[in-house]
Amino acid sequence: MKQEDDIRNAVEVLRKGGVILYPTDTVWGIGCDATNAEAVKRVYEIKRRDDSKALICLVDSDARLQRYVRNVPDVAWQLIDAVVKPTTIILDNAVNLAPNLIADDGSIGIRITKEPFSHELCYRFQKALVSTSANISGEPAAQNYGDISEEILNAVDYVCYSRRQEHKPHTPSSIIKLTADGEVTVIRK
């Protein structure tokens, strides 16, 4: 299947409130429409994860990030420009997202993906996309398609074909929390 068709199929499922498995700029991810509370709830159920543990989002651009965070601090833009490794930034004042995706303190973890497949998927979908590792909570993250359990594969509505043959090491993103007043905390290197 051509990547263009794979992305078209995934976007169609996402627009109907479905859940997908897809390759990201880090590990394989479980994804859904980040503005759809029912879809987000399904992701928590699939992962068997307590919904008090926030999920992150992927977006394709600075402009899209600004749709979901009120007043992005300057230090966030400096960080986004400086990082080489995929880095998720936790920012205060999340807006326009499913309420069950936003942490109790009003923050959201969000990352601009530059990897070709996930970037194009986010661009075509035109919304933030939930991105959480394709595993049951507490188990190792699926670095490659072959690492994903049957339980996860059977629980989603669409599994992307792109990059299924890949076998190379992938690691989760770095996570950095930035508060509105500029305080920086490294959560995961």
Side-chain angles (χ1 to χ4, degrees), residues 18-40:
V19 176
I20 66 168
L21 274 176
Y22 66 107
T24 75
D25 53 344
T26 59
V27 297
W28 268 73
I30 300 172
C32 71
D33 177 349
T35 67
N36 181 326
E38 280 303 308
V40 171

Side-chain angles (χ1 to χ4, degrees), residues 82-118:
V83 296
V84 177
K85 178 184 179 188
T87 301
T88 300
I89 301 174
I90 300 172
L91 296 166
D92 291 337
N93 303 311
V95 292
N96 304 320
L97 293 165
N100 54 343
L101 189 59
I102 299 170
D104 290 342
D105 66 359
S107 67
I108 187 67
I110 198 161
R111 182 169 77 247
I112 299 172
T113 179
K114 295 176 176 81
E115 180 274 328
F117 184 85
S118 55

Side-chain angles (χ1 to χ4, degrees), residues 30-44 47 49-59 68 90-91 94-110 125 127-132:
I30 300 172
C32 71
D33 177 349
T35 67
N36 181 326
E38 280 303 308
V40 171
K41 181 177 176 223
R42 269 194 64 211
V43 172
Y44 279 115
K47 283 190 67 80
R49 186 172 182 167
D50 184 347
D51 65 9
S52 67
K53 291 187 173 180
L55 302 172
I56 68 164
C57 298
L58 286 185
V59 292
Y68 302 110
I90 300 172
L91 296 166
V95 292
N96 304 320
L97 293 165
N100 54 343
L101 189 59
I102 299 170
D104 290 342
D105 66 359
S107 67
I108 187 67
I110 198 161
F125 185 49
K127 291 184 186 179
L129 186 62
V130 165
S131 184
T132 183

Side-chain angles (χ1 to χ4, degrees), residues 9 13 21 32 88 100 105 112 119 162 165 167 169 181 189:
N9 292 342
V13 170
L21 274 176
C32 71
T88 300
N100 54 343
D105 66 359
I112 299 172
H119 177 87
S162 299
Q165 307 331 324
H167 289 286
D181 61 8
K189 284 188 177 187

Side-chain angles (χ1 to χ4, degrees), residues 1-9 117 158 160-162:
M1 175 181 292
K2 288 196 277 189
Q3 180 173 302
E4 183 180 316
D5 295 330
D6 200 14
I7 288 172
R8 186 179 313 112
N9 292 342
F117 184 85
Y158 184 75
C160 291
Y161 288 87
S162 299

